Amino acid sequence: MISSPLMTVMVDAVRKASRGLRRDYGEIENLQVSRKGPGDFVSAADRKAEEVLRDALTKARPGYGMVLEESGIVEGTDKSHVWHVDPLDGTSNFLHGIPHFAISVGLEREGQVVAGVIYDPVKDELFVAERGKGAYLNNRRLRVSGRVDMADALSAYGTPYLGRGNHPRLLREVAAVMAVSGGTRRMGSAALDLAYVACGRLDLYWERDLQTWDIAAGIILVREAGGFVTSADGASEPLAVKSVACGNEGLHRELVAILRKVNG
């Protein structure tokens, strides 16, 4: 496990926020849910977790800016540091009683993600990474999958919400990947998809129309685990264009080539 003052701050914050999520997950029928937009829900648990994270991170690093899923952008006096915070990634899973969701916190320094924490409170799995110090699941060092053949690869992808994104494009992409890969999955949490690539449970993952809080922590997890992360078109930094494609070097290259081909 990584031992540093920064990692202590981040881990403490996500563990505090997870207590309320675990409690509310056990009483789903009592959750208060409001509608933010088509197919996009936010629960009272989501808002409470964000408040805990915001308070803990602000107390520990008072000058840092924030990009928060529920509260938006909070300008900081320290312009070189920005937290990207998702208090509940996998909200639909959470609300339907599916035990696959996570808290995600990433730290951007001068345009680069330098640390990330993703915590799955149901499984008590803590994924952490800090630049130059590796990536870990609890106390185990992580490496991306070593598979070399697309026919053996298990790929995950994200689907657009109702009324958002390019549905025909995704259907073309999924059909093309399904035709050559060992299997595909839609699991419902971008943060955990990235974490699962970092630890080798998934070989590949791609998704578009994301937000920075969805992927900031996962980007450094995959990179510190030896993986490659780009935008879905393979040409840009994912945090800037809010899309992602990742895996080990060879499979990532093949995935990007497939996505480019089907999109002309």
Side-chain angles (χ1 to χ4, degrees):
M1 181 66 86
I2 300 167
S3 178
S4 71
L6 175 60
M7 195 53 57
T8 298
V9 165
M10 297 174 74
V11 170
D12 286 350
V14 300
R15 287 200 181 277
K16 286 178 182 176
S18 73
R19 295 169 193 156
L21 290 183
R22 276 198 299 265
R23 181 183 61 250
D24 288 334
Y25 179 70
E27 301 195 25
I28 289 173
E29 67 276 9
N30 296 323
L31 286 179
Q32 297 177 16
V33 181
S34 62
R35 195 159 199 164
K36 284 197 300 189
D40 191 6
F41 299 91
V42 59
S43 68
D46 203 334
R47 292 191 295 271
K48 285 187 291 184
E50 182 171 285
E51 289 173 10
V52 172
L53 289 164
R54 182 173 177 173
D55 289 348
L57 294 172
T58 300
K59 183 177 180 180
R61 298 290 189 272
Y64 290 11
M66 291 189 176
V67 181
L68 302 134
E69 182 180 15
E70 305 305 331
S71 304
I73 296 173
V74 178
E75 297 288 349
T77 56
D78 181 345
K79 302 301 181 183
S80 62
H81 290 90
V82 180
W83 298 111
H84 296 266
V85 179
D86 193 339
L88 177 53
D89 187 65
T91 305
S92 293
N93 284 347
F94 182 87
L95 293 175
H96 288 84
I98 298 171
H100 191 76
F101 54 88
I103 300 168
S104 179
V105 177
L107 179 63
E108 179 188 359
R109 178 182 296 143
E110 297 178 348
Q112 295 293 320
V113 184
V114 296
V117 172
I118 296 171
Y119 183 51
D120 179 339
V122 174
K123 304 177 190 72
D124 191 26
E125 291 190 331
L126 181 69
F127 299 86
V128 302
E130 193 170 347
R131 188 166 65 181
K133 297 182 180 180
Y136 292 81
L137 166 53
N138 296 339
N139 293 314
R140 180 170 63 88
R141 183 73 181 259
L142 300 183
R143 294 292 298 177
V144 294
S145 161
R147 292 185 180 89
V148 296
D149 295 324
M150 184 66 80
D152 298 325
L154 183 62
S155 303
Y157 60 92
T159 51
Y161 286 112
L162 173 68
R164 291 190 192 176
N166 189 325
H167 294 248
R169 177 179 61 190
L170 176 69
L171 293 175
R172 291 194 306 269
E173 292 173 352
V174 173
V177 174
M178 285 174 63
V180 297
S181 70
T184 56
R185 299 287 186 272
R186 161 57 168 159
M187 301 177 76
S189 168
L192 287 177
D193 284 339
L194 285 156
Y196 281 19
V197 170
C199 71
R201 293 174 183 170
L202 292 170
D203 300 294
L204 292 163
Y205 162 62
W206 85 96
E207 188 168 357
R208 289 184 171 83
D209 303 310
L210 291 158
Q211 298 296 331
T212 61
W213 55 74
D214 295 316
I215 57 176
I219 287 170
I220 190 163
L221 270 168
V222 174
R223 287 176 174 163
E224 286 295 315
F228 281 66
V229 189
T230 63
S231 60
D233 64 10
S236 305
E237 179 63 28
L239 210 63
V241 299
K242 300 176 183 177
S243 75
V244 66
C246 64
N248 67 34
E249 181 179 9
L251 291 179
H252 170 265
R253 184 168 53 245
E254 287 192 54
L255 174 62
V256 168
I258 292 168
L259 300 180
R260 285 174 171 170
K261 182 177 181 181
V262 298
N263 291 312

